[in-house]
Amino acid sequence: MKLGFIGGGNMAAALIGGLRRRANKGEEIIVVERDGSRRSLLERDFGVGTRATIDAGLEESAIVVLAVKPADVQQVCESLRAVPGQRLVLSIAAGIPSAAIARWSGTDAVVRAMPNTLALIGQGITGLFARSGVSSEQRAAATRTLRVIGEAVWFGDEAMLDAVTAISGSGPAYVFYFIEALQEAARQMGMGTDQARHFAVQTFVGAAQLAAQSTEDLSLLRERVTSKGGTTAAALERLRESNVGPAITAAAFAALERSREMARTLGS
Ligand SMILES: NC(=O)c1ccc[n+]([C@@H]2O[C@H](COP(=O)([O-])OP(=O)(O)OC[C@H]3O[C@@H](n4cnc5c(N)ncnc54)[C@H](OP(=O)(O)O)[C@@H]3O)[C@@H](O)[C@H]2O)c1
């Protein structure tokens, strides 16, 4: 399969790197990237063909991944419209509604995907939505492409991509915020900065892995490490008094609202 990328930045590199690491390296990849040094890097690291502008080189690509910043998507779609050929347009740009991409690029074969930054280490989770012009083969090809950066989950309602943005898109930053606070506590208790970071991060890694491996309710996992009158109970009591749980929920809703607002502005 021939695969085209427009934009050869962080996300494109994560996807291309993942595709290249797979046992079956079936894809012939072309990347359109306007930055010359970035083009050389992509050629050297991944052996892909590159171009500076959108041209006939993309004609035979079965999928063209839009991996530019949201502000560049309209212009890129309009240039792509001039390139003949049948293709799936797979946008990973945050916040741009698929209807706008379909309108700008002149095709209804559009998949909108919302990956997250954990894609950079192959541990991402991506929410996907397909417009009605997408065939089942194209859906399967989009799934295969995005699986190289983590999990890929389809939604029947595009509005759910705002929820994906609020939970997994922005979520890594909420987690970093919590880890930072735990690191600060460790530092104040006398650990050096590096050691404090190590203890805070490893606690998150272990707890996240335990949660991922378990099918039990998270509340049960929490209760199991909380003995009555003990140290964990004292800490959780303080978290409850400070309304930390509801504050995290409210934070995610603030991201949801912002995502909806941005979609309205960017897609108009
Ligand atoms: N990074 C994340 O964690 C993340 C998560 C979810 C979704 N996304 C989405 O993924 C997309 C890409 O993000 P990124 O972090 O990979 O961005 P990035 O590193 O800035 O990469 C975009 C690249 O595309 C180039 N470009 C822009 N317009 C072009 C054009 N017309 N022709 C050729 N190349 C062009 C840019 O060049 P210049 O630098 O010269 O502009 C830049 O090198 C964004 O829409 C973002 O919303 C990213």
Side-chain angles (χ1 to χ4, degrees), residues 7-11 32-34 67-70 72 75-76 92-94 114-117:
N10 294 315
M11 269 293 156
V32 180
E33 165 59 53
R34 59 187 173 196
V68 296
K69 292 283 189 222
D72 292 315
Q75 175 255 316
V76 157
I92 60 164
M114 184 58 208
N116 68 5
T117 189

Side-chain angles (χ1 to χ4, degrees), residues 73 77 91 93-104 110-112 129 131 158 161-162 259-260 262-268:
V73 170
C77 287
S91 168
I96 313 257
S98 70
I101 293 162
R103 193 167 70 243
W104 297 330
V110 174
V111 165
R112 179 178 159 203
F129 170 77
R131 292 188 68 75
E158 186 169 1
L161 291 198
D162 290 315
S259 175
R260 288 177 177 160
M262 285 170 67
R264 278 194 291 274
T265 320
L266 293 166
S268 61

Side-chain angles (χ1 to χ4, degrees), residues 214-238:
S214 170
T215 51
E216 288 176 314
D217 272 2
L218 294 174
S219 60
L220 233 133
L221 296 179
R222 170 172 50 73
E223 279 159 20
R224 201 166 289 143
V225 291
T226 314
S227 26
K228 217 165 170 209
T231 57
T232 313
L236 287 174
E237 188 47 36
R238 183 57 70 89

Side-chain angles (χ1 to χ4, degrees), residues 6-243:
I6 306 180
N10 294 315
M11 269 293 156
L15 275 161
I16 296 166
L19 290 165
R20 286 298 190 238
R21 276 191 298 275
R22 268 196 327 197
N24 166 20
K25 303 183 180 74
E27 297 84 6
E28 193 181 311
I29 299 175
I30 289 188
V31 187
V32 180
E33 165 59 53
R34 59 187 173 196
D35 178 335
S37 54
R38 190 85 207 151
R39 284 200 299 280
S40 311
L41 215 76
L42 292 163
E43 284 169 14
R44 191 198 64 196
D45 291 352
F46 305 121
V48 294
T50 66
R51 285 178 156 62
T53 53
I54 296 168
D55 60 24
L58 291 175
E59 223 169 278
E60 289 172 21
S61 296
I63 300 181
V64 171
V65 181
L66 306 183
V68 296
K69 292 283 189 222
D72 292 315
V73 170
Q74 181 171 1
Q75 175 255 316
V76 157
C77 287
E78 286 166 358
S79 307
L80 192 58
R81 201 183 184 124
V83 179
Q86 295 281 322
R87 65 184 75 88
L88 172 71
V89 176
L90 171 52
S91 168
I92 60 164
I96 313 257
S98 70
I101 293 162
R103 193 167 70 243
W104 297 330
S105 59
T107 173
D108 205 44
V110 174
V111 165
R112 179 178 159 203
M114 184 58 208
N116 68 5
T117 189
L118 306 178
L120 302 178
I121 56 159
Q123 292 288 325
I125 181 159
T126 301
L128 295 143
F129 170 77
R131 292 188 68 75
S132 56
V134 177
S135 69
S136 52
E137 291 79 17
Q138 287 174 322
R139 257 174 106 100
T143 307
R144 275 199 308 278
T145 304
L146 286 160
R147 280 235 179 100
V148 303
I149 52 169
E151 288 182 41
V153 181
W154 288 93
F155 289 88
D157 176 3
E158 186 169 1
M160 285 307 292
L161 291 198
D162 290 315
V164 170
T165 306
I167 303 299
S168 54
S170 303
Y174 319 154
V175 174
F176 296 142
Y177 184 84
F178 202 118
I179 303 178
E180 274 176 81
L182 203 56
Q183 178 190 19
E184 179 53 24
R187 233 184 35 76
Q188 287 183 22
M189 291 173 192
M191 288 192 194
T193 306
D194 290 349
Q195 195 173 43
R197 178 190 168 123
H198 187 200
F199 269 80
V201 170
Q202 187 50 39
T203 302
F204 258 77
V205 170
Q209 276 176 9
L210 179 63
Q213 283 167 20
S214 170
T215 51
E216 288 176 314
D217 272 2
L218 294 174
S219 60
L220 233 133
L221 296 179
R222 170 172 50 73
E223 279 159 20
R224 201 166 289 143
V225 291
T226 314
S227 26
K228 217 165 170 209
T231 57
T232 313
L236 287 174
E237 188 47 36
R238 183 57 70 89
L239 287 173
R240 262 186 224 107
E241 275 168 23
S242 308
N243 272 326

